[in-house]
Amino acid sequence: MKYYILFGPPGAGKGTQAGAIAEKYNLRHVSTGQLLREEIAAGTEIGKQAQALISAGNFVPDEMVETMLNNLFDSTSGVEGFLLDGFPRNLSQAADLDKLLSKRGECVGGVISIMIPDQMIAERIAHRASIEGRADDADMTVIQNRIATYHKQTEPLIAYYTEQNKYHQADGTGTIDEVKAAIASIMDTLHV
Ligand code: AP5
Ligand code: MG
């Protein structure tokens, strides 16, 4: 199995791009945010624990997402790999992912980052708020907290994966089709 990471700040377009990219390269798209929203909608124990944290724009505990992911890796077949969206999100999750994959005799195949400036993040999320009604999109204070948390906790992963020669950056500011083409041209070099 191959494990690719679709990286980027909130609202960069990870979810928008992931479906088509996963289909093109026969990967399973895994959004940890989406998995958590499904747990909340189903009223599970995980969902109950996650709800308040997500609504405030804070991360859920590492073990929560890592257990969900490990179960999903175990139960997936019929694809060539995974396109991870929203994981890892901090250095300890990245180290845990390396350990988890090495136990499986695997490693991260590459990281593709969709990069947009903070002003555009706020605009895109505000736009999505009117369409999707996500609990963490409704309030500008929560959006600003998500952006600040990204810079503090998630951005250090750029250096982590650059050091491993696995970091690739796509310009996320173009149209959806332009960004898709930029990601695909990177994937073509990784998924061979
Ligand atoms: P998650 O669901 O992952 O949210 P996020 O990282 O904040 O990212 P978004 O889903 O908001 O953005 P996106 O990049 O997918 O953008 P989209 O394609 O929708 O996580 C939610 C929460 O769950 C976290 O805050 C945390 O609490 C928890 N969580 C998740 N994973 C966790 C983890 N690993 N550890 C701990 N906690 C975790 O695009 C945004 C909008 O822009 C859309 O309206 C779209 O139509 C539009 N758009 C996209 N591309 C373009 C374009 N090129 N031009 C114009 N508009 C565009
Ligand atoms: Mg998303």
Side-chain angles (χ1 to χ4, degrees):
M1 286 284 202
K2 305 281 188 172
Y3 298 81
Y4 302 105
I5 296 166
L6 196 55
F7 181 88
K14 302 181 294 295
T16 301
Q17 298 295 342
I21 295 294
E23 195 180 339
K24 183 167 162 61
Y25 298 95
N26 191 22
L27 306 170
R28 177 164 181 187
H29 168 215
V30 182
S31 159
T32 43
Q34 188 55 38
L35 291 175
L36 290 164
R37 285 187 285 280
E38 286 166 12
E39 297 280 346
I40 293 170
T44 64
E45 205 41 56
I46 288 181
K48 283 179 198 150
Q49 287 176 42
Q51 187 157 25
L53 290 164
I54 292 184
S55 301
N58 294 321
F59 288 174
V60 305
D62 293 347
E63 315 80 68
M64 190 183 275
V65 274
E66 286 164 13
T67 304
M68 286 194 321
L69 267 187
N70 206 17
N71 292 341
L72 207 134
F73 291 162
D74 280 341
S75 62
T76 300
S77 59
V79 289
E80 288 172 43
F82 296 89
L83 186 61
L84 303 179
D85 154 3
F87 183 92
R89 255 176 146 91
N90 59 33
L91 285 168
S92 82
Q93 290 182 7
D96 290 345
L97 178 64
D98 284 346
K99 273 186 235 151
L100 190 153
L101 293 184
S102 105
K103 276 191 203 148
R104 295 172 167 269
E106 312 271 10
C107 64
V108 171
V111 178
I112 303 173
S113 162
I114 306 177
M115 209 35 76
I116 66 171
D118 285 3
Q119 179 55 35
M120 198 175 265
I121 298 176
E123 285 164 14
R124 287 193 183 170
I125 291 181
H127 168 73
R128 187 178 60 193
S130 60
I131 302 168
E132 290 185 22
R134 261 173 59 170
D136 55 348
D137 283 352
D139 182 327
M140 195 39 86
T141 315
V142 171
I143 295 170
Q144 292 302 347
N145 181 33
R146 287 163 61 199
I147 296 173
T149 305
Y150 164 79
H151 286 303
K152 195 162 164 221
Q153 297 210 41
T154 311
E155 214 163 46
L157 294 179
I158 295 176
Y160 182 86
Y161 287 114
T162 301
E163 222 164 86
Q164 297 186 12
N165 259 326
K166 290 184 177 169
Y167 182 78
H168 307 269
Q169 194 160 298
D171 178 2
T173 62
T175 64
I176 290 175
D177 282 345
E178 284 166 350
V179 178
K180 193 174 298 163
I183 295 171
S185 79
I186 297 169
M187 275 301 293
D188 284 340
T189 67
L190 298 176
H191 195 64
V192 284

